[in-house]
Amino acid sequence: MPNSKIDSLLKKTLKTLLPIALGAFVLYWVYRGFDFARAWQVLWRDTDWGWMAASLFFGVMGHVLRGWRWVQTLEPLGMRPRPDHCVDAIFVSYAANLVLPRVGEVSRCGMLARYDGVPFAKSLGTVVTERLLDTVCILLIAGITFLLQMPVFLRFFEETGTKIPSLAHLVGSVWFYVVLLCAVGVGVLFYYLLRSLSVFEKVKGAALNVWEGILSLRRVRCLPLFVLYTVGIWACYYLHFFLTFYCFGFSAHLDALAGLVMFVGGTFAVIVPTPNGAGPWHFAVITMMMLYGVGATDAATFALIVHAVQTLLVIVLGVWGWLHVNLGKRRLV
């Protein structure tokens, strides 16, 4: 096998294994010595599945609204894909991110190119716009939450070693090294994204198509509906997380502001390139939940069960989206 093929295979393998290894390491560090038998007991005996079903409903609706909003951003480019195909592509993209973080954006554009004839570069431009908008939204939510719950965030920074009064505290803080490792992971992710972008821009006409997709937001046909979809998406994501508090007796007392703090912390944690934020998300949610008086074991149980159920939902929706779009295509042939 030529050296170039070996290098390419090695890079692909590392891109797949490193995020999994990073997530596994953080999970091991967080759950070392944990009583998994108790978590299993809580899952089957003490979980209120009515509230869990309500949470999962909003998880599905968040993706559905994102798919509908995507239709709006594609229309100014003269593209009119089927709304259900856009939703299916969203489902598949989130499932694809479980295998290789951030590959979902490529897969969803590829699906529309294959089944609806939407040029890949143009749809990718709308995804770039969407991610920029997501960044603005989460920064706005985080800013408001920080102002409302500043003491909690300051305590979180102190206890995780990210606000450190001395070098000795820095060296002795185990949690600081977990945060540092996650930060390195994010840095590696951005490095590969920049490299991919530089290669992509060398393709003739691709950069222009991406820019056209980015500017499509200015020509959205019904801006109030676009805003409504955006607010609905983030409201659904928040309720998807917050309603899980009522699934367990030890977290049912937590209020909406506590949910907002943990939602923001968890959202930033999933930026770390691990499958569905596994590891960093658990670390952030557990630490913040303990600041609100929940015991360490209960907080760890909550994070383990909620993340597992929500990840299972992502997998099921991904399989559904892939089957739905493929079976539908076959019926039309």
Side-chain angles (χ1 to χ4, degrees):
M1 184 181 292
N3 289 335
S4 60
K5 291 186 177 180
I6 295 176
D7 291 341
S8 177
L9 179 61
L10 181 60
K11 288 180 180 179
K12 290 180 179 179
T13 303
L14 289 176
K15 284 183 180 181
T16 302
L17 295 181
L18 284 179
I20 296 175
L22 174 59
F25 171 78
V26 179
L27 279 174
Y28 166 77
W29 197 269
V30 171
Y31 282 95
R32 65 192 190 284
F34 179 73
D35 183 5
F36 288 95
R38 182 182 182 281
W40 185 260
Q41 178 181 350
V42 171
L43 174 65
W44 293 113
R45 295 183 183 180
D46 303 324
T47 301
D48 189 327
W49 288 100
W51 281 110
M52 187 67 78
S55 163
L56 296 178
F57 168 78
F58 284 106
V60 175
M61 285 306 302
H63 296 337
V64 171
L65 292 177
R66 186 175 287 275
W68 292 349
R69 190 183 67 176
W70 196 19
V71 175
Q72 276 197 292
T73 59
L74 289 167
E75 284 180 348
L77 303 178
M79 304 297 160
R80 290 175 174 79
R82 288 175 48 175
D84 60 324
H85 283 181
C86 287
V87 173
D88 289 336
I90 296 295
F91 288 162
V92 172
S93 71
Y94 278 88
N97 281 335
L98 296 179
V99 180
L100 185 61
R102 307 301 176 251
V103 78
E105 284 74 8
V106 176
S107 69
R108 62 190 267 194
C109 297
M111 283 186 65
L112 284 197
R114 179 179 180 183
Y115 296 106
D116 291 85
V118 177
F120 180 88
K122 289 187 177 182
S123 62
L124 183 61
T126 63
V127 173
V128 172
T129 306
E130 180 180 296
R131 290 310 177 204
L132 291 174
L133 183 60
D134 285 341
T135 301
V136 172
C137 289
I138 191 56
L139 288 177
L140 181 62
I141 295 171
I144 294 173
T145 306
F146 183 79
L147 291 176
L148 293 175
Q149 296 282 277
M150 188 179 299
V152 176
F153 280 102
L154 294 179
R155 284 177 57 203
F156 172 78
F157 295 146
E158 290 173 356
E159 295 197 11
T160 56
T162 49
K163 180 182 180 183
I164 305 168
S166 66
L167 182 61
H169 190 182
L170 170 62
V171 175
S173 174
V174 174
W175 292 117
F176 175 77
Y177 290 107
V178 174
V179 174
L180 180 62
L181 185 61
C182 292
V184 171
V186 173
V188 172
L189 169 66
F190 278 114
Y191 169 74
Y192 279 110
L193 286 178
L194 289 174
R195 284 193 59 184
S196 300
L197 183 60
S198 64
V199 172
F200 184 72
E201 287 179 343
K202 294 177 182 178
V203 181
K204 184 179 179 180
L208 182 61
N209 286 331
V210 171
W211 182 246
E212 184 181 355
I214 292 173
L215 294 180
S216 67
L217 185 60
R218 298 189 307 172
R219 305 192 301 272
V220 169
R221 184 174 59 180
C222 183
L223 189 58
L225 181 60
F226 183 88
V227 173
L228 182 63
Y229 281 153
T230 301
V231 173
I233 288 168
W234 285 99
C236 285
Y237 288 169
Y238 169 69
L239 290 172
H240 182 40
F241 174 72
F242 174 63
L243 292 180
T244 57
F245 286 175
Y246 298 109
C247 296
F248 312 98
F250 52 74
S251 58
H253 67 283
L254 297 173
D255 60 17
L257 276 179
L260 198 57
V261 169
M262 283 176 254
F263 173 72
V264 169
T267 301
F268 278 105
V270 298
I271 296 175
V272 181
T274 63
N276 204 28
W281 186 90
H282 295 76
F283 163 69
V285 170
I286 291 170
T287 307
M288 288 183 164
M289 187 167 274
M290 290 171 61
L291 297 179
Y292 284 94
V294 178
T297 301
D298 288 336
T301 300
F302 172 90
L304 189 66
I305 293 175
V306 169
H307 188 272
V309 172
Q310 293 185 351
T311 300
L312 180 60
L313 175 67
V314 171
I315 296 172
V316 170
L317 291 179
V319 173
W320 159 260
W322 187 86
L323 289 175
H324 184 252
V325 73
N326 278 279
L327 294 177
K329 187 68 175 180
R330 290 180 182 178
R331 286 196 296 268
L332 294 175
V333 174

